[in-house]
């Protein structure tokens, strides 16, 4: 049975990028293996965050997991901090990744630029170590993530090779799986940039009012060629909208292109807006229902117990391998 593991670090608003690149894909794994899907709350602390925001975000994301179709009977859903093995394995694994390789991580370079040079937390630097611990604790074979996280999965793979060379076959080699369509949803106001919670005009937030979502799509930056064609280099705006459409319709980009052959941009954008509003609208309804049901905390508590059982076995194996009594 394949083990699948993924998580989201919910620091700001969840975006359509999070939905298409991550959230929407998780439920598919429920029938293909044994999924562990968690909320990376310890990772959320790597950038400054208000305690109340962190608390709210965690429940919120759990409700979005349920809304996206995760079934707690099939998926072990939990908070990273509730399973102490994550922090314990992190303490061991930090000795097997090196400062040189961590300093080359794109995410570290980008995020540390936003901070005062004298106040870059060690946790931000060591982010991939904890992420490796998250993955390796569950002997995960498959790690579904958006494109921006593949570098972190790669470094976890390097760690497995290094560790197993030293101690024998202790850790399981994971593999990143990236969705083909929509792995990188771009900003609607500047389609050369990733959609990423910091630009209210270019981002579609999962909690946005549906009318606002429609307006954002209708005013998305395109080009003046008036041909609906997938060409990310020369037509980044149109290509982004095509990828969003194809992904939400579960069709290929080529099929989406065919559908809009000869259509003008207004008609095309209206169709894109229709599907986004339909999907996000339904998601929002299920999200509100999940929060109102009062189930969230119970699901997370049960998930943590199930996750800890699996994680503690791996932790013990690693502790023994390195010589901890
Ligand atoms: P983040 O919100 O950056 O912590 O990312 C959470 C998950 O969503 C990760 O798997 C990301 O790769 C994915 N993700 C975030 N933004 C995008 C985007 N614009 N397009 C596709 N996937 C994304
Ligand atoms: N880094 C991921 C993000 O930015 C969250 C995450 C933490 C994760 N640990 C992970 C994803 C392990 C996959 C596997 O959202």
């Amino acid at each position: 049975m394949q083990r699948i593991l993924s998580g989201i670090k919910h620091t700001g608003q969840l975006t359509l990028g999070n939905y298409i690149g991550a959230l929407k894909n998780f439920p598919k794994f429920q029938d293909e293996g044994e999924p562990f899907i968690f909320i990376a709350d310890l990772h959320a602390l790597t950038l400054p965050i208000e305690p109340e925001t962190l608390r709210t975000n965690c429940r919120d994301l759990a409700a979005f997991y349920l809304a996206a179709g995760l079934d707690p009977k099939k998926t072990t859903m939990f908070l990273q901090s509730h399973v102490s093995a994550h922090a314990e394995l992190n303490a061991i694994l930090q000795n097997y990744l090196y400062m040189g390789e961590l300093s080359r991580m794109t995410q570290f370079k980008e995020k540390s630029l936003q901070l005062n040079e004298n106040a870059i937390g060690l946790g931000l630097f060591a982010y991939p170590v904890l992420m490796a611990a998250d993955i390796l604790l569950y002997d995960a074979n498959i790690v579904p993530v958006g494109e921006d996280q593949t570098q972190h999965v790669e470094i976890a793979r390097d760690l497995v090779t290094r560790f197993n060379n030293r101690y024998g076959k202790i850790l399981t080699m994971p593999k990143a799986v990236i969705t083909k369509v929509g792995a990188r949803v771009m900003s609607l106001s500047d389609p050369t940039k990733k959609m990423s919670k910091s630009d209210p005009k270019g981002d579609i937030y999962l909690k946005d009012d549906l009318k606002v979502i429609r307006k954002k799509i209708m005013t998305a930056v395109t080009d003046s060629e008036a041909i609906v064609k997938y060409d990310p280099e020369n037509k980044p705006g149109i290509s982004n909208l095509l990828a969003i459409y194809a992904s939400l319709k579960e069709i290929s980009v080529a099929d989406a292109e065919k559908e809009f052959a000869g259509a003008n941009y207004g008609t095309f954008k209206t169709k894109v807006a229709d599907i986004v509003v339909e999907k996000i609208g339904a998601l929002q309804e299920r999200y509100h229902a999940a929060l109102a049901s009062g189930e969230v905390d119970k699901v997370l508590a049960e998930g943590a117990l199930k996750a800890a059982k699996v994680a503690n076995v791996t932790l013990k194996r690693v502790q023994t391998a390195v010589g901890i009594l």
Side-chain angles (χ1 to χ4, degrees):
M1 183 79 117
Q2 303 242 66
R3 282 269 173 79
I4 296 112
L5 175 125
S6 196
I8 294 182
K9 164 180 58 68
H10 182 13
T11 45
Q13 292 258 28
L14 288 171
T15 67
L16 183 66
N18 293 131
Y19 180 67
I20 290 179
L23 213 50
K24 165 176 165 299
N25 309 310
F26 294 162
K28 293 182 196 153
F29 290 98
Q30 294 186 136
D31 302 314
E32 290 173 21
E34 202 185 340
F36 290 80
I37 305 288
F38 71 100
I39 295 166
D41 56 345
L42 294 175
H43 276 121
L45 287 169
T46 58
L47 289 173
I49 185 165
E50 287 302 318
E52 201 43 49
T53 310
L54 181 57
R55 263 189 290 273
T56 313
N57 282 359
C58 286
R59 288 210 178 89
D60 230 50
L61 179 53
F64 271 117
Y65 279 162
L66 293 170
L70 288 184
D71 173 355
K73 287 196 204 75
K74 296 182 181 167
T75 295
T76 306
M77 219 175 98
F78 59 101
L79 279 180
Q80 183 184 35
S81 63
H82 284 178
V83 180
S84 60
H86 289 247
E88 292 180 72
L89 187 61
N90 179 61
I92 296 178
L93 294 186
Q94 63 186 347
N95 303 300
Y96 302 87
L97 282 177
Y98 305 143
M99 291 172 60
E101 52 198 0
L102 291 175
S103 64
R104 285 194 289 275
M105 294 289 110
T106 309
Q107 179 177 296
F108 172 69
K109 288 196 257 179
E110 282 177 8
K111 303 260 158 146
S112 53
L113 280 180
Q114 300 162 15
L115 299 168
N116 176 327
E117 208 183 325
N118 300 315
I120 300 170
L122 185 56
L124 186 65
F125 186 63
Y127 189 109
V129 181
L130 179 58
M131 184 153 160
D134 300 335
I135 297 170
L136 302 175
L137 275 176
Y138 299 91
D139 289 316
N141 313 101
I142 290 181
V143 183
V145 280
E147 197 179 64
D148 57 346
Q149 294 299 316
T150 49
Q151 206 181 24
H152 293 155
V153 180
E154 277 309 310
I155 208 172
R157 288 168 58 86
D158 293 344
L159 189 153
V160 170
T161 305
R162 191 171 294 159
F163 195 91
N164 285 356
N165 278 340
R166 171 90 168 79
Y167 299 105
K169 212 182 162 318
I170 305 293
L171 301 172
T172 302
M173 185 63 83
K175 189 167 169 278
V177 170
I178 304 147
T179 27
K180 284 193 211 76
V181 180
R184 206 173 158 79
V185 178
M186 309 306 274
S187 159
L188 297 178
S189 59
D190 177 358
T192 59
K193 275 189 355 211
K194 197 184 91 164
M195 183 183 287
S196 67
K197 21 182 140 167
S198 45
D199 166 17
K201 266 176 75 191
D203 300 340
I204 289 183
Y205 300 125
L206 297 185
K207 288 191 181 171
D208 268 346
D209 186 274
L210 297 178
K211 284 200 202 86
V212 173
I213 294 184
R214 184 173 289 279
K215 185 149 174 246
K216 285 182 183 177
I217 293 177
M218 296 310 292
T219 54
V221 168
T222 54
D223 54 61
S224 54
E225 201 186 28
I227 301 172
V228 181
K229 196 173 72 180
Y230 191 73
D231 177 358
E233 200 151 304
N234 301 309
K235 298 169 73 68
I238 289 292
S239 303
N240 187 38
L241 292 174
L242 264 172
I244 291 172
Y245 183 83
S247 159
L248 294 178
K249 280 270 185 185
E250 310 274 348
I251 59 174
S252 69
V253 169
D255 282 346
E257 229 175 1
K258 269 187 224 143
E259 199 175 320
F260 294 110
N264 65 36
Y265 284 0
T267 313
F268 170 56
K269 281 179 163 179
T270 305
K271 289 276 189 192
V272 177
D274 286 347
I275 185 75
V276 175
V277 163
E278 178 194 322
K279 295 288 175 183
I280 302 302
L283 185 77
Q284 287 180 351
E285 265 177 39
R286 293 192 299 264
Y287 157 80
H288 288 300
L291 277 185
S293 74
E295 286 281 291
V296 169
D297 285 11
K298 192 170 136 255
V299 166
L300 291 176
E302 286 173 3
L305 286 178
K306 268 167 65 188
K309 272 199 192 132
V310 176
N312 288 337
V313 174
T314 314
L315 177 64
K316 186 82 194 149
R317 199 165 73 228
V318 172
Q319 288 170 332
T320 306
V322 300
I324 288 173
L325 278 181

